[in-house]
Amino acid sequence: MLVIEKVEKMAAVSRKLRGGGKTIGFVPTMGYLHEGHLSLVGLSKAQADVTVVSIFVNPTQFGPNEDLGRYPRDAEGDLKKCKDSGVDVVFFPDAAGMYPEGYCTYVDVGRVSEGLCGASRPGHFRGVATVVAKLFNIVKPDRAFFGQKDFQQTVVIRRMVRDLNMDVEVVIGPTMREPDGLAMSSRNVYLAPAERAAATRLYAALSAAKGLYSSGERDAGRLKARVQEVLAEEPLIRPEYVEAVDNDMRTAETAGGDTVIAVAARVGSTRLIDNLPLLNG
Ligand code: AMP
């Protein structure tokens, strides 16, 4: 397994791989890897000749009062997990390499970035789109793999790729969960034991809405109300939003096969997100 820190070196390795006819699969991450990330590595290995994982805690996607400074890191553990999972190349740039002195170019994806997490985290998706665009230019993947866990992010990336004619196929992998349903997340490590127990309510609430949908309820307002009801049973949870949207981030009034129920909530001081497609979720 190759570990590359320099942007120019990564670009050169990718150029050579593509020149040699190899297809490149790419899994961008912020590290502190778990089974969610590794499931995307598995998809990439099945669908590309060479798998590149990037590990970069991207400063431009964090707001001034967010957790950039304390975001969990474990370089050694991550490299071991990558190696054990058969990753071919780990790209591990530093902030100065990605955003050198004088850096001033950003990618702003419009409407689909504006609601939900975009509303509560101003500038977040601008940072995400910018770093993913940069990583695509450096790594030059044929296919890039993203998790359903970050649903709005998948919509933003797909929109950016389409709007800017990027020559990358975006593949979305399913959300990996703990046995009790909690969506795996690097941020789960912040949760105190009581908060960790409370956090299972997020998936329970989404599942309750899905259950209602399965029994015939189509009114999105009532499905969202069901989610809020289940969340309200747990005092440690403070919901930020509960929304029903389609795959293009349009608000659903009537739920259908493409409706996704998405939730963000504080559990203690930790902000968690989760979502469930009402069909095939
Ligand atoms: P992150 O390191 O949190 O930026 O995530 C890197 C990639 O892994 C993103 O495409 C995420 O959507 C994806 N990911 C994170 N958690 C999960 C999960 N529980 N299941 C599937 N994919 C995930």
Side-chain angles (χ1 to χ4, degrees), residues 39-206:
S39 69
L40 298 175
V41 167
L43 291 179
S44 174
K45 285 187 65 66
Q47 297 182 36
D49 297 327
V50 175
T51 291
V52 179
V53 170
S54 66
I55 298 177
F56 180 57
V57 181
N58 173 38
T60 65
Q61 71 189 68
F62 287 80
N65 299 315
E66 294 184 355
D67 58 343
L68 173 62
R70 65 181 194 119
Y71 195 83
R73 293 164 204 250
D74 177 16
E76 208 180 302
D78 287 349
L79 291 178
K80 181 169 185 331
K81 285 174 191 161
C82 285
K83 197 166 180 196
D84 293 347
S85 310
V87 170
D88 300 290
V89 182
V90 176
F91 178 43
F92 216 144
D94 63 12
M98 290 294 279
Y99 299 108
E101 187 69 27
Y103 188 91
C104 61
T105 303
Y106 294 88
V107 180
D108 251 310
V109 180
R111 184 186 57 77
V112 298
S113 288
E114 286 164 9
L116 284 73
C117 289
S120 42
R121 303 184 70 187
H124 170 65
F125 288 117
R126 180 184 196 240
V128 168
T130 300
V131 80
V132 171
K134 284 173 65 67
L135 290 167
F136 282 181
N137 284 332
I138 297 163
V139 174
K140 299 180 256 296
D142 296 86
R143 292 203 169 111
F145 298 83
F146 294 86
Q148 171 73 22
K149 159 75 173 32
D150 297 274
F151 169 66
Q152 189 173 11
Q153 173 170 282
T154 68
V155 180
V156 169
I157 300 297
R158 283 193 281 113
R159 187 79 256 167
M160 173 183 79
V161 164
R162 211 175 312 153
D163 287 355
L164 296 183
N165 309 97
M166 292 178 167
D167 196 10
V168 181
E169 186 186 337
V170 175
V171 180
I172 311 300
T175 302
M176 294 294 124
R177 299 182 178 281
E178 302 291 352
D180 63 7
L182 178 66
M184 290 180 178
S185 165
S186 307
R187 287 189 168 98
N188 291 349
V189 69
Y190 297 148
L191 300 169
E195 295 167 348
R196 170 65 186 80
T200 58
R201 279 298 165 110
L202 264 60
Y203 182 60
L206 293 169

